[in-house]
Amino acid sequence: MLNYRHLYYFWMVAKEGSFARAADRLEMAVQTISAQVRDLEKSLGHQLLKPSGRGVALTEAGQAAFTRAEEIFQLGQYIEEEVREAATARVARLSVGLSDGISKLAAHALLEPVLATPHLRLVCHEGESDELLSELALHQLDVVLAGQAAPRIPQQRLTSERIARSPLQWYGPASLVKKAARDRFPQSLQDLPVLLPTHHAPLRATLDAWFQDLGLQPRVVGEFEDSALLAVFAARGLGVFPVSRLGAQDVGLVRGLRLLGDCPALFEEVHAIWSRRGQHHPLVRQMVEASAR
């Protein structure tokens, strides 16, 4: 079995760039750390570190080992906190990954059923879908909310369920959303500055196809990954923007926005994705069950 103490010393040397600095940080003798790193290299059968100036650098094999060691010891940082929380049974922790491609306004509405949980500690991470799914597989997240279902990767053993399918609406500042614009919607989009989600969002392809079907070529003045940020810029007069009816529940939090029109044929979907560990999390189950009502 891999000696994790040896791996830890190797990890510290790699992070510090030298045996001497790692020894100072660990308050140990350089010879002790050097000997244990050599033992690790012997057990793995490959050289992990090589001389570089006054310090050391990673070999190709060392880079692979260091990447895994980073994951292992970052996970280890959560153990003390999670054990304490489990022992006191006072904190209900939920770690959620929010894919860049989904509306953050809609995500808030979907999480609302669990927000009243006593002693809730909600931790939200944003990022690319692939990155978040990797963190989910490593149990760093309890659930990921994304714009599409989980890919079929047998090694990850992920489950997904669509928890929202909400029609789109268009909003904008009062200075742009006037009676004439509402009466001529959606053709009025041709004459208005438009804000859209970026191209990696599943919703963007739906919107582009809709514009093409209507023969519209809107003047796109801004593209955003974060729908909440998009709404703020819209409220400051930059343009009009689409949002799911689910996300529109929070549009009222941004003052000055008005409804331009409805798109009942267009939908934003949100999928909840979880691992085998996540399926037993009571707050994940509560969120999924609430969406089915």
Side-chain angles (χ1 to χ4, degrees), residues 124-200:
C124 291
H125 300 264
E126 295 184 53
E128 295 285 346
S129 181
D130 290 345
E131 174 189 343
L132 294 175
L133 293 181
S134 296
E135 293 179 16
L136 183 65
L138 291 169
H139 308 306
Q140 294 174 352
L141 297 172
D142 299 309
V143 65
V144 169
L145 301 184
Q148 52 198 5
R152 295 184 177 274
I153 303 177
Q155 298 90 333
Q156 290 186 333
R157 299 182 181 181
L158 301 178
T159 302
S160 62
E161 182 173 328
R162 189 178 72 189
I163 59 173
R165 187 172 186 266
S166 181
L168 294 187
Q169 297 178 311
W170 283 79
Y171 280 80
S175 60
L176 295 175
V177 181
K178 299 177 180 178
K179 185 178 186 303
R182 291 196 298 268
D183 291 344
R184 294 178 50 245
F185 180 83
Q187 282 70 28
S188 58
L189 292 173
Q190 184 75 35
D191 307 316
L192 295 170
V194 170
L195 309 178
L196 293 176
T198 54
H199 281 280
H200 73 281

Side-chain angles (χ1 to χ4, degrees), residues 19 70 106 112 120 154 156 176 214 226 240 248:
F19 284 96
E70 279 272 83
E112 190 171 10
L120 173 68
Q156 290 186 333
L176 295 175
L214 293 176
D226 189 325
V240 299

Side-chain angles (χ1 to χ4, degrees), residues 74-117:
Q74 284 178 5
L75 280 173
Q77 294 172 5
Y78 294 110
I79 291 177
E80 182 178 356
E81 179 182 0
E82 291 181 353
V83 167
R84 182 175 64 252
E85 291 174 357
T88 58
R90 288 187 56 81
V91 176
R93 183 186 179 91
L94 179 64
S95 295
V96 182
L98 301 176
S99 170
D100 285 340
I102 70 165
S103 163
K104 303 308 183 295
L105 295 174
H108 173 261
L110 292 168
L111 289 168
E112 190 171 10
V114 306
L115 297 183
T117 303

Side-chain angles (χ1 to χ4, degrees), residues 24-42:
D24 287 342
R25 184 168 175 181
L26 294 169
E27 298 181 350
M28 297 176 62
V30 172
Q31 296 81 355
T32 301
I33 296 176
S34 177
Q36 301 212 24
V37 170
R38 285 199 301 271
D39 287 343
L40 176 65
E41 291 177 322
K42 289 178 183 178

